[in-house]
Amino acid sequence: MTSAASGAAAPRPVPLLQVRDLGIRHDGSATATPASATFSVARGEVVLLLGPSGAGKSTLALALNGLIPHAVPATIDGTVLVDGLDTRTTPVATLSTHVGMVFQDPDAQLVTGTLLDEVAFGPENLRMPVDEVLARSEDALRRVGLWDRRHENPDRLSGGGRQRLAIACALAMGSPLLVLDEPTANLDPQGIDEVYAALGDLVAAGDRAIVLVEHNLDAATAITDRVVVLDHDGHTVADGTVDDVLRGRADELHAMGVWLPVATIAALRLRAAGWSLDPLPLDPAELRAGLEAAEAPASAVRNSVSTPFSGPQDPISADSAASRLNTEHTAAATEPLIRVRGLRTRRGRTEVLHGVDLDVAAGEFVAIVGANGAGKTTLLQSIAGVVRVPRGQVRVDGVDVARIDLRSLSRRIGFVFQNPEHQFIAHTVFDELAHGLRLQKLPADEVRERTLEVLRRFGLEDKADVHPFLLSGGQKRRLSVGTALVAGAPVLALDEPTFGQDRARADELMHLLRGLSEAGTTILVVTHDMQLVTEYAHRTIVVGDGTILADAPTSEIFADEALLQAAGLRQPPLRRAFAGLTRHPSLAGVTRLADLPHSAARVADVHTEGAS
Amino acid sequence: MCAAIGVATGIATALWSPLHGLSAAFAIPVYGLVLGFHALPGVIAQQVLRLPWVALITHALAALIASAFVPVMAGRYLMAALVFGGVQEGVSALTRYRHWETWRFLLSGFVTGAVLAVPMWFAFDVASLSPWAGITFVVAFVLGPVAWTAVGLAIGTALRRAGVARATVKR
Amino acid sequence: MTATTFDPYARVVAPGRFLFALNPLAKIAAPLPAIVLLVFARDLATPLAFLALAYAVLLAGARMTGRLVLVLLIAIPAAALLVGLGMSLWADAARVDTSVTILQIGGWTLYGGAVATGMATGVRLAAIVALALIAGISTNGPDLVRSLVQQLRVPYRIGYTALAAFRFVPRFGYELDVIRQAHRVRGAHGGRGPFAAIARWWGYIVPLLAGAIRHAERVALAMDARAFGAHPDRTERHLVPWRARDTVFVLVFWAVSAAILWYFFPWAVPAAS
Ligand SMILES: Nc1ncnc2c1ncn2[C@@H]1O[C@H](COP(=O)(O)OP(=O)(O)OP(=O)(O)O)[C@@H](O)[C@H]1O
Ligand SMILES: Nc1ncnc2c1ncn2[C@@H]1O[C@H](COP(=O)(O)OP(=O)(O)OP(=O)(O)O)[C@@H](O)[C@H]1O
Ligand SMILES: [Mg+2]
Ligand SMILES: [Mg+2]
């Protein structure tokens, strides 16, 4: 993937896409994001567009095919030229034959009832003859490997499959440039692999240029030629080859809050601790190779031998912290906080969980993982009483979930739904938080006091009177956690809390959860992000086909390659890099960034990144 | 936008259909209260978007969706869409899409009720009913759409408050 | 009416069943005059005749599913009966034939004449429903939209927006489920009774509609990005043609309707009385 080199050859042709000093201000907002973006894309090139959240990447993507300003009201400064056409004066329909778009949510891109109709939709809009429509549709579907399923309803595809379909739809428009805005944000590991396999084939064919906005760099860097970085306001601050930008200016990008591949972050840590890793690795294989070739610094060896599994989130120390804080739960000594026996939950007429046994002790941080449709959500919802369960199968804090009324249950266990908007019931942030307390018939003063305290704790003081729907994505997520917590529930259950959040938000939230966990709250999390599981969870439960495939301390789960394969999971990047490292056995057990040997100066950094 | 409101109200309309049967069977004089439900799509759409044509388009979509669920009622849904949508759109057009105050919505509800009462009078042969039943019938027909218009207004206002009604260029 | 079993795109293939081979518009146009005129009919015989006609067409031309059989054999007759009885309760006793007494409770009497007018209304509504069913049972949403666009020249922008809207339906069902669960665990508006129920449903409306509208906005962008609405027309791969048989069907149906009306002439009765 070094077509960038050929792009630098002397007689440079007119670039396919030229963005110059682009500033976009949405109607009703005071500042322009992006403020001033400048870059260009040549034919056949793959450009990765990076930037902190809110830099205006999605906005920029919409401007590339004229949806801004033609369909979304906004003011534009600077120019966007596609094949020499100014997007401000050219209609979207004309531009659509030059720029194909793939958005984040696969469901929001489907219009018709079968795969074939779906792909044909674009060419039909262009009034092509039927033969041409069919020829294009067939070609596009074949290229993403969906031709054999052309008569099916798109609903029957997996998330990854639907996103491949969206790519096919964009291909069928015949445009030489493809713009993808976080195409894998909602997918499980398998879906992500599928999408990148399809993109990889496109790149190999070399006939399309791609602009890729992506937070998950671990998969994206493999196909990227060039990287463009926007800073917080949306100024272009870097534009160059992967080597120049990701390897050469990694420190700078990291400081800016731009997310890097996990392997690169790990390498930066190691460098700071005195390791010489040159060039900087971008994926686990490179990191591993780099380490095998590198000499361990004398100081670091001593440092890293300190047992990898110690730390603030160590199971044993957290347990003791929990029992310290939960002395009122005297029953905990004899019975675990959550006790599940032979749980069989039905949804409609089908049984989704087939006899699950599970104990969770007070103060534990438990992750629930598994492939799509395995039953993770159902398990979590059964424990929290969100779905009805048979009597006698789930006990939380000593009471049967099936018998207790919901108001008293919500005082024992707080549930955070995947989409926070679903659970908002009041018209202001304050009322939203106060609701749980008012249900307990607390005096107004106390309600006010406790609500304000939570507002302060979650950084929402100045939003007390705002409608919950008007908050930003990250703020909504914090509010939803706050509502689950405010009633003082000792257990918190979260369903894919990092879904649709960028990496920084995800980290911020996880730090918050870790803080709660250290203070004694029991936490259950369903997630697809394996690195996140490794970083935070004491214990991991692998669910597959409605049963528990494994239930063990996190490190043991990820040591079991056969188990992961069977459950359709992937190893987290760090483990892939470090496991079985021959030259530095001291690193072989490392799975978390926090476990890496570090110089004292970086310690704070490890724990506070993303919390900004 | 219209599509979303249309789908939501369309499904609600489909769920509402048993009440048509019930009231037709047991409580014909208050049928107007039931039928007034059909005011919702247009009122919500107009209150949220405040643009020309949204009422009719939303009504059309709601009728299509509801018919897909309850094919038996398809004809009635299309008629309702035409009458309710037509009146709502007409009243807005007469005020040149400048007035979006509550009274204007209630006025269109009132007109709709009056317009509807006439054919329904014949369909149910109200003339053959006892006089007080006939009077209730007419009053309910005027009150129904007005009441449901008020409900739709409240929903639309709540949506505006939730920041849904951002200006869009089209659709 | 569950969202899970509902696929508006499913193409009904029923070889040999002629209703499925007709243009959706033909199936709407054919019974339309009869439906409109029935509204103004007063007697019992005319609606009965049309009811028979509708049943004949359905039996001959539709695919007999369990659901259709249920509708035809139980739902419609039962509804006609119920409506008929209901209407006769409300009838003005001063203006009906009081020669036959059917029921007497205290001072209140149910006369045969009241039942007759009530039944006329019941059967009339049943006939209207059955006639509407001809199109309803044999047409899928997309085909109706296509014929509206192809024959009636309805702007395809509206038609295909409706097509996309069909996709929202299952998503709506799912979202509503989740919202209900979420509100339930948060203990919002507990309690029983109609007022609690209203308060509960009121709480679902804003999140549901707000989510739906955001979704619709995204869909609209995705459609625009694929040149939707760019040209005054678009290529049609699925033609829903208007063929000779459609014309024949409509004309025959109209002729039969006219014959029935002419034979029974329902307006002579009220004019005479
Ligand atoms: N339709 C809109 N109307 C008004 N403001 C908007 C709109 N869409 C986005 N914004 C604002 O524009 C800014 C840039 O948003 P954008 O979605 O482009 O950021 P991004 O770089 O894609 O972020 P992320 O990484 O979180 O996806 C944000 O402050 C956002 O609130
Ligand atoms: N409301 C429902 N009715 C019927 N079946 C359902 C319902 N909800 C979920 N299921 C089925 O139950 C199984 C488990 O679903 P669940 O949502 O628990 O999976 P999950 O592990 O959370 O998957 P994902 O990773 O996609 O969120 C799936 O096969 C799903 O199809
Ligand atoms: Mg974005
Ligand atoms: Mg799930």
Side-chain angles (χ1 to χ4, degrees):
Chain A
M1 308 307 138
T2 48
S3 64
S6 62
R12 199 164 181 149
V14 181
L16 186 57
L17 172 75
Q18 237 179 327
V19 177
R20 232 181 290 137
D21 303 326
L22 179 66
I24 303 171
R25 189 170 55 77
H26 281 283
D27 281 8
S29 72
T31 53
T33 43
S36 165
T38 305
F39 65 94
S40 61
V41 179
R43 277 170 203 285
E45 206 178 19
V46 180
V47 174
L48 180 63
L49 185 61
L50 300 179
S53 176
K57 303 180 294 295
S58 302
T59 308
L60 178 62
L62 287 180
L64 297 186
N65 75 339
L67 284 174
I68 292 179
H70 296 292
V72 178
T75 325
I76 287 198
D77 295 322
T79 51
V80 180
L81 295 181
V82 180
D83 261 346
L85 300 169
D86 188 338
T87 55
R88 234 185 311 187
T89 51
T90 318
V92 177
T94 314
L95 290 169
S96 71
T97 59
H98 298 270
V99 184
M101 296 286 270
V102 177
F103 297 96
Q104 181 177 325
D105 180 359
D107 283 339
Q109 303 173 62
L110 297 176
V111 184
T112 64
T114 68
L115 267 64
L116 185 61
D117 284 347
E118 190 62 37
V119 179
F121 181 77
E124 283 174 353
N125 287 333
L126 295 171
R127 301 164 81 193
M128 290 181 178
V130 174
D131 293 344
E132 170 87 27
V133 170
L134 287 175
R136 279 191 176 205
S137 307
E138 174 169 356
D139 178 52
L141 278 174
R142 282 192 192 282
R143 290 181 78 162
V144 297
L146 288 172
W147 174 245
D148 292 335
R149 308 185 64 177
R150 62 187 172 279
H151 294 306
E152 289 183 30
N153 189 323
D155 288 341
R156 293 175 47 192
L157 296 178
S158 65
R162 266 178 276 172
Q163 209 54 304
R164 276 189 291 154
L165 174 61
I167 294 174
C169 292
L171 290 179
M173 300 299 288
S175 24
L177 176 65
L178 213 56
V179 178
L180 300 105
D181 188 1
E182 300 189 35
T184 62
N186 302 349
L187 306 182
D188 65 353
Q190 181 129 24
I192 294 177
D193 286 356
E194 279 177 29
V195 169
Y196 275 99
L199 286 179
D201 288 347
L202 275 188
V203 173
D207 59 342
R208 309 283 166 128
I210 296 178
V211 173
L212 183 61
V213 179
E214 182 64 286
H215 281 301
N216 179 0
L217 295 193
D218 290 304
T221 44
I223 61 166
T224 307
D225 294 324
R226 218 147 54 75
V227 180
V228 173
V229 185
L230 302 181
D231 67 4
H232 182 75
D233 307 322
H235 296 275
T236 307
V237 288
D239 179 355
T241 62
V242 172
D243 283 342
D244 287 348
V245 178
L246 281 189
R247 290 190 221 271
R249 300 169 67 178
D251 269 318
E252 194 186 327
L253 300 188
H254 188 59
M256 198 196 289
V258 169
W259 288 92
L260 299 171
V262 176
T264 312
I265 300 175
L268 286 178
R269 295 279 147 75
L270 289 169
R271 267 190 183 175
W275 295 71
S276 77
L277 285 167
D278 210 31
L280 201 63
L282 294 179
D283 62 32
E286 286 182 11
L287 175 56
R288 187 192 185 88
L291 283 172
E292 293 291 13
E295 196 67 51
S299 64
V301 175
R302 225 178 315 113
N303 215 343
S304 67
V305 177
S306 64
T307 56
F309 299 118
S310 70
Q313 60 278 72
D314 174 75
I316 300 150
S317 66
D319 268 356
S320 57
S323 50
R324 206 170 55 249
L325 279 147
N326 281 312
T327 39
E328 69 269 29
H329 293 295
T330 40
T334 50
E335 185 176 311
L337 188 61
I338 297 172
R339 178 189 178 89
V340 180
R341 285 292 173 274
L343 173 65
R344 293 176 179 277
T345 306
R346 302 169 128 342
R347 288 220 189 235
R349 251 169 265 143
T350 47
E351 189 180 272
V352 177
L353 296 180
H354 315 293
V356 168
D357 293 335
L358 179 67
D359 283 332
V360 179
E364 273 192 290
F365 195 132
V366 180
I368 302 175
V369 298
N372 280 126
K376 307 179 293 294
T377 299
T378 309
L379 175 58
L380 196 68
Q381 294 191 338
S382 304
I383 293 173
V386 177
V387 293
R388 286 177 212 286
V389 293
R391 293 190 171 188
Q393 296 184 349
V394 182
R395 293 173 75 80
V396 174
D397 206 3
V399 297
D400 188 345
V401 164
R403 284 169 202 265
I404 189 175
D405 81 298
L406 278 165
R407 282 183 201 204
S408 2
L409 185 62
S410 68
R411 219 174 307 163
R412 293 189 157 76
I413 182 163
F415 194 93
V416 179
F417 283 80
Q418 191 172 308
N419 179 351
E421 286 191 3
H422 286 152
Q423 68 186 82
F424 292 156
I425 50 187
H427 294 297
T428 67
V429 170
F430 184 92
D431 287 343
E432 190 63 41
L433 285 170
H435 174 82
L437 299 171
R438 288 181 186 145
L439 272 188
Q440 297 180 18
K441 308 250 172 1
L442 295 179
D445 285 350
E446 194 184 339
V447 169
R448 206 182 141 66
E449 205 173 298
R450 280 173 68 175
T451 306
L452 287 177
E453 192 216 308
V454 175
L455 281 173
R456 259 193 304 281
R457 182 153 158 212
F458 287 77
L460 295 168
E461 305 100 310
D462 50 339
K463 302 280 179 192
D465 296 324
V466 176
H467 197 291
F469 277 68
L470 297 178
L471 298 176
S472 79
Q475 290 167 337
K476 277 182 195 155
R477 174 52 75 195
R478 292 203 295 271
L479 177 59
S480 65
V481 175
T483 56
L485 274 178
V486 72
V491 185
L492 197 56
L494 303 101
D495 193 358
E496 303 194 26
T498 55
F499 165 90
Q501 309 271 321
D502 61 54
R503 197 78 199 186
R505 289 274 147 65
D507 248 54
E508 178 190 12
L509 178 73
M510 294 314 287
H511 280 284
L512 195 127
L513 291 184
R514 177 188 281 170
L516 290 170
S517 171
E518 280 161 12
T521 309
T522 309
I523 295 180
L524 303 168
V525 178
V526 167
T527 181
H528 285 301
D529 185 336
M530 298 304 140
Q531 187 61 40
L532 189 140
V533 172
T534 339
E535 297 283 328
Y536 295 94
H538 305 142
R539 189 173 137 200
T540 300
I541 296 170
V542 183
V543 181
D545 282 336
T547 57
I548 290 192
L549 297 182
D551 176 357
T554 303
S555 53
E556 284 178 31
I557 296 283
F558 287 108
D560 190 343
E561 183 60 35
L563 168 70
L564 294 180
Q565 283 292 335
L569 300 175
R570 303 281 181 274
Q571 283 201 330
L574 278 197
R575 186 175 270 281
R576 261 181 277 157
F578 290 130
L581 208 59
T582 46
R583 184 151 178 194
H584 310 287
S586 65
L587 286 176
V590 171
T591 53
R592 303 182 303 178
L593 289 173
D595 294 336
L596 286 173
H598 36 61
S599 65
R602 304 282 300 197
V603 176
D605 198 37
V606 169
H607 289 285
T608 55
E609 74 186 272
S612 56
Chain B
M1 294 284 280
C2 294
I5 300 173
V7 173
T9 46
I11 295 173
T13 308
L15 293 177
W16 188 252
S17 65
L19 274 181
H20 278 268
L22 279 182
S23 92
F26 301 113
I28 207 58
V30 296
Y31 188 52
L33 293 180
V34 174
L35 200 65
F37 187 84
H38 291 284
L40 285 186
V43 177
I44 299 178
Q46 287 194 328
Q47 170 69 351
V48 173
L49 300 176
R50 304 194 163 171
L51 292 172
W53 292 112
V54 294
L56 259 182
I57 295 175
T58 308
H59 268 294
L61 288 172
L64 274 175
I65 299 284
S67 314
F69 280 105
V70 196
V72 179
M73 305 276 289
R76 212 166 303 180
Y77 289 149
L78 288 175
M79 290 281 285
L82 227 65
V83 174
F84 281 87
V87 171
Q88 285 164 355
E89 203 61 57
V91 171
S92 319
L94 284 179
T95 52
R96 296 173 173 244
Y97 299 105
R98 279 207 204 112
H99 292 277
W100 301 105
E101 296 89 353
T102 310
W103 64 263
R104 204 205 50 71
F105 281 99
L106 296 181
L107 173 71
S108 72
F110 181 83
V111 175
T112 320
V115 170
L116 271 179
V118 177
M120 288 300 155
W121 179 277
F122 287 106
F124 287 96
D125 197 5
V126 179
S128 73
L129 301 185
S130 50
W132 61 265
I135 292 169
T136 321
F137 185 86
V138 173
V139 169
F141 254 99
V142 175
L143 268 188
V146 173
W148 283 109
T149 300
V151 172
L153 271 179
I155 296 177
T157 311
L159 283 173
R160 285 187 86 84
R161 219 168 4 146
V164 173
R166 247 189 296 115
T168 36
V169 170
K170 59 184 166 176
R171 231 193 297 279
Chain C
M1 256 189 300
T2 49
T4 43
T5 58
F6 170 81
D7 183 4
Y9 302 97
R11 229 161 232 290
V12 199
V13 264
R17 293 308 193 166
F18 74 85
L19 273 184
F20 293 94
L22 289 175
N23 187 298
L25 292 180
K27 289 178 278 188
I28 293 176
L32 197 61
I35 291 178
V36 172
L37 290 171
L38 266 179
V39 169
F40 302 99
R42 287 288 164 272
D43 64 339
L44 195 60
T46 319
L48 271 180
F50 276 110
L51 196 60
L53 173 65
Y55 270 51
V57 171
L58 283 171
L59 287 177
R63 195 177 39 143
M64 281 300 130
T65 56
R67 198 165 143 216
L68 181 58
V69 171
L70 216 69
V71 168
L72 290 185
L73 291 188
I74 300 181
I76 292 185
L81 216 66
L82 275 176
V83 172
L85 282 179
M87 291 300 292
S88 48
L89 298 184
W90 301 102
D92 182 359
R95 293 178 45 203
V96 297
D97 180 3
T98 55
S99 53
V100 188
T101 301
I102 291 189
L103 191 70
Q104 195 156 18
I105 302 170
W108 178 83
T109 320
L110 180 61
Y111 295 108
V115 174
T117 26
M119 280 302 160
T121 308
V123 175
R124 194 163 68 238
L125 294 180
I128 291 176
V129 165
L131 286 171
L133 206 56
I134 292 177
I137 206 74
S138 60
T139 309
N140 68 359
D143 274 351
L144 176 61
V145 168
R146 289 197 179 100
S147 59
L148 284 175
V149 171
Q150 289 168 24
Q151 272 93 37
L152 286 191
R153 307 270 159 234
V154 169
Y156 82 87
R157 269 164 251 222
I158 295 179
Y160 280 81
T161 303
L163 269 193
F166 278 118
R167 284 219 77 86
F168 296 1
V169 171
R171 190 187 168 97
F172 255 73
Y174 167 77
E175 290 241 316
L176 181 60
D177 263 1
V178 177
I179 291 170
R180 287 174 66 174
Q181 285 172 350
H183 286 204
R184 216 165 58 88
V185 284
R186 294 213 45 211
H189 314 295
R192 294 170 201 287
F195 289 104
I198 289 173
R200 223 173 13 244
W201 278 93
W202 185 256
Y204 304 151
I205 289 175
V206 168
L208 187 65
L209 278 180
I213 288 172
R214 299 236 167 80
H215 183 71
E217 273 175 351
R218 284 195 289 266
V219 175
L221 283 185
M223 286 168 78
D224 281 353
R226 286 153 70 192
F228 181 69
H231 301 287
D233 62 356
R234 68 194 291 277
T235 311
E236 290 294 348
R237 278 188 313 122
H238 298 286
L239 290 181
V240 186
W242 182 279
R243 285 170 286 217
R245 58 179 178 226
D246 295 309
T247 315
V248 171
F249 176 74
V250 172
L251 289 182
V252 169
F253 205 100
W254 284 356
V256 175
S257 305
I260 293 177
L261 286 169
W262 176 77
Y263 184 77
F264 291 106
F265 201 68
W267 293 284
V269 186
S273 67

